[in-house]
Amino acid sequence: MNDRLTISFWIWGIFNTKSNPYYDDLEARMRELKERGFNCIRLEAGAGLCHDKDGRPRGELTFQETMPGEHMRMFRGGADRIMAGRCDPLKRLIELCTLAKRYEVKVILSSWYYLHTFWQTDEAINAELLGLPPAERFIYFARALDYILRELEQRGLQETIAFAEIFNEADGLDFVGFYGEKTQPKEQLNLWRSWHEDALEFVKARHPGIRFALDTYTPWVNPEHVPRNMQVWNFHSYYMWSVYEVLERAVTWDWSSPLAEPVVGESIRRFLRRDPVPYRVVRECRGSRPPIIDDWYHRVWLYRNLDPAAMPEVDRMLEENLQKNLAHFKRQAEDGVAQAVKLRDLHYPGVPLVLGEGVTYCAHADMRWEERSDAYWEVVEHAARAYRAHGLWGCMARTNSGPEDPVWHEYPDRLRRVNEVFLGRRT
């Protein structure tokens, strides 16, 4: 196995619109990446966007705000970072991989199209790709990935690719059962698995020098759903996301009435603006564009309506919740990687394991307790040691780890330290 991968999340790194300046100077970002101890980038590669169905480059595309107005301006991790504008994703991916080769950085290619990317793409692209029958989506995106890989191979850039995935969180997509326990019958799971296996065989045959991975939202995946011809298993472990339950679960939603206003518990009412934006306004702001997942509308409403003056108190509450459950979160991290290793050894011996996303999703850019919390980094470093001890090939120490996140400039030393822990350079 090659050297271990320390992975940074650059999900929208190739979408360089005028209002997405975080990746404007890719060479500067590449130097900063190395300074922070990273040697690998995981991102949306633009499958389905870079080329049309016949392999012709689409050129410049139009991107739109996910939710027009102020609704997502405070969000971390990129959901607000693609504003209205145009860019050529293929041109940008080639530029990024060219620099990656120069700086000896590896790249993981994935696709968030059916999970997040369609939020920002224009009506013509969405009509085409969302209109594909579910049974055709895996093979269509395998062909789209093939077109991208050919472009990179023609330029001698294939060695920059650590591995490639057909879809991010392929076990959680709405057309293969969605998130949650896999209660579908074995025959249904096997059908979805066959779609994925056919897609992997297609790209493996055309690009024998590149590894192709399964990406799952959890290590507790049903083996009947897992393609048996994967060459890497990239699993996610959001073992500390529940630290936010003291905030998010204090809001009750009427799932039978999509536009109903939520009921806010007394424990967090003091944190909200005096005149909160109505949920209906958030829910309807996309107009006729395809709706996003309900959970995200809910999350946007909550964090959109937090009172900026209350943020220090919110941070204290979350820090106290972490401190109270410190041992629990450490066990959660250990249990996740142990489960992945157990399942891999039982069903897919020898397949390399990668932790490709994890810890939490801290939604609000002004919510700063994670970066400043010694206890938080204690848990993250504990997890990195466990990943190394279990022999993982790669580790993303935290999903919020790219140039658009406050941690990039404010705590580069903490990013570097946890990467060095995973590499075995620190105890």
Side-chain angles (χ1 to χ4, degrees):
M1 181 53 62
N2 297 331
D3 292 341
R4 293 176 190 260
L5 304 175
T6 50
I7 308 163
S8 181
F9 200 47
W10 287 24
I11 181 171
W12 310 126
I14 64 171
F15 298 126
N16 181 38
T17 61
K18 288 183 179 178
S19 48
N20 177 23
Y22 303 93
Y23 298 93
D24 188 44
D25 186 342
L26 281 174
E27 185 157 16
R29 300 295 86 75
M30 203 69 71
R31 289 194 298 268
E32 292 166 359
L33 180 90
K34 298 298 290 286
E35 291 167 359
R36 287 151 181 76
F38 294 107
N39 60 28
C40 186
I41 297 162
R42 183 166 179 255
L43 48 62
E44 161 70 72
L49 308 182
C50 292
H51 301 85
D52 66 16
K53 64 182 178 61
D54 298 314
R56 291 185 293 263
R58 294 187 192 267
E60 278 200 349
L61 301 179
T62 298
F63 292 89
Q64 307 176 72
E65 291 180 282
T66 296
M67 293 186 178
E70 296 297 318
H71 298 310
M72 297 189 74
R73 295 299 170 92
M74 88 300 288
F75 260 61
R76 289 194 189 218
D80 68 321
R81 306 311 192 192
I82 301 178
M83 302 302 179
R86 292 179 62 80
C87 77
D88 183 336
L90 178 59
K91 180 180 178 182
R92 286 277 295 174
L93 180 64
I94 292 167
E95 179 187 355
L96 183 144
C97 289
T98 300
L99 287 165
K101 183 176 182 179
R102 185 186 308 167
Y103 283 85
E104 299 182 322
V105 167
K106 296 296 185 182
V107 180
I108 299 168
L109 304 180
S110 191
S111 171
W112 281 259
Y113 179 76
Y114 289 106
L115 184 60
H116 298 309
T117 308
F118 79 88
W119 295 359
Q120 295 100 6
T121 44
D122 67 22
E123 287 81 354
I125 294 285
N126 285 340
E128 177 185 338
L129 299 181
L130 295 177
L132 289 170
E136 297 178 13
R137 292 178 177 182
F138 275 94
I139 194 63
Y140 184 101
F141 273 75
R143 292 192 183 100
L145 180 58
D146 169 49
Y147 296 145
I148 288 171
L149 292 173
R150 283 195 238 168
E151 300 271 7
L152 297 179
E153 289 165 349
Q154 288 169 9
R155 294 163 175 81
L157 299 174
Q158 65 274 13
E159 292 183 2
T160 66
I161 308 305
F163 57 88
E165 306 160 356
I166 307 296
F167 289 124
N168 171 74
E169 298 189 350
D171 58 330
L173 298 170
D174 61 358
F175 58 93
V176 292
F178 201 55
Y179 296 111
E181 293 300 318
K182 297 296 187 297
T183 57
Q184 294 85 358
K186 175 181 175 181
E187 293 74 19
Q188 186 65 65
L189 292 171
N190 290 171
L191 173 63
W192 294 331
R193 178 174 69 185
S194 72
W195 297 349
H196 202 166
E197 288 178 341
D198 290 348
L200 288 173
E201 281 307 303
F202 179 88
V203 286
K204 285 169 63 178
R206 284 157 178 76
H207 307 279
I210 294 174
R211 291 188 178 98
F212 294 93
L214 163 70
D215 184 273
T216 65
Y217 74 90
T218 175
W220 280 273
V221 63
N222 190 323
E224 299 293 344
H225 204 185
V226 174
R228 294 159 293 185
N229 55 347
M230 64 176 175
Q231 296 168 305
V232 178
W233 179 15
N234 181 12
F235 69 96
H236 303 174
S237 181
Y238 283 100
Y239 56 84
M240 208 194 304
W241 197 325
S242 61
V243 76
Y244 290 98
E245 288 183 354
V246 293
L247 188 63
E248 296 181 357
R249 293 210 172 179
V251 181
T252 304
W253 300 90
D254 183 351
W255 290 91
S256 66
S257 181
L259 296 178
E261 291 297 312
V263 177
V264 179
E266 289 301 322
S267 64
I268 71 161
R269 188 179 297 279
R270 67 190 186 280
F271 299 147
L272 298 190
R273 299 173 186 270
R274 290 185 179 179
D275 187 20
V277 175
Y279 178 63
R280 179 182 292 274
V281 173
V282 173
R283 183 76 187 220
E284 294 181 340
C285 72
R286 285 177 59 84
S288 62
R289 293 163 62 195
I292 65 177
I293 298 171
D294 283 344
D295 282 354
W296 280 96
Y297 285 118
H298 297 173
R299 193 168 290 119
V300 169
W301 179 88
L302 173 60
Y303 291 103
R304 168 77 170 87
N305 282 310
L306 287 180
D307 183 349
M311 207 60 72
E313 190 178 354
V314 173
D315 280 356
R316 284 194 295 273
M317 179 184 70
L318 295 169
E319 171 73 14
E320 289 171 3
N321 192 29
L322 170 60
Q323 294 279 1
K324 184 171 64 176
N325 294 286
L326 198 66
H328 167 72
F329 290 126
K330 287 182 178 180
R331 285 194 302 274
Q332 289 279 93
E334 294 169 359
D335 291 348
V337 66
Q339 165 64 19
V341 170
K342 176 182 176 182
L343 189 65
R344 187 274 310 271
D345 290 349
L346 184 61
H347 296 283
Y348 320 102
V351 170
L353 287 173
V354 172
L355 187 285
E357 287 183 35
V359 191
T360 70
Y361 173 60
C362 182
H364 204 298
D366 292 336
M367 189 178 289
R368 312 308 302 283
W369 74 279
E370 284 190 2
E371 293 92 346
R372 297 167 181 164
S373 169
D374 291 339
Y376 171 86
W377 289 100
E378 179 184 335
V379 178
V380 172
E381 289 183 19
H382 179 85
R385 292 186 192 95
Y387 301 149
R388 178 174 178 81
H390 281 286
L392 266 61
W393 177 28
C395 163
M396 182 180 288
R398 72 194 296 250
T399 298
N400 294 125
S401 60
E404 75 283 356
D405 195 83
V407 74
W408 187 264
H409 293 291
E410 294 181 7
Y411 293 94
D413 54 329
R414 287 188 140 163
L415 290 174
R416 184 174 189 87
R417 177 181 173 84
V418 72
N419 285 329
E420 290 177 345
V421 167
F422 176 66
L423 294 174
R425 297 172 185 168
R426 286 180 182 260
T427 57

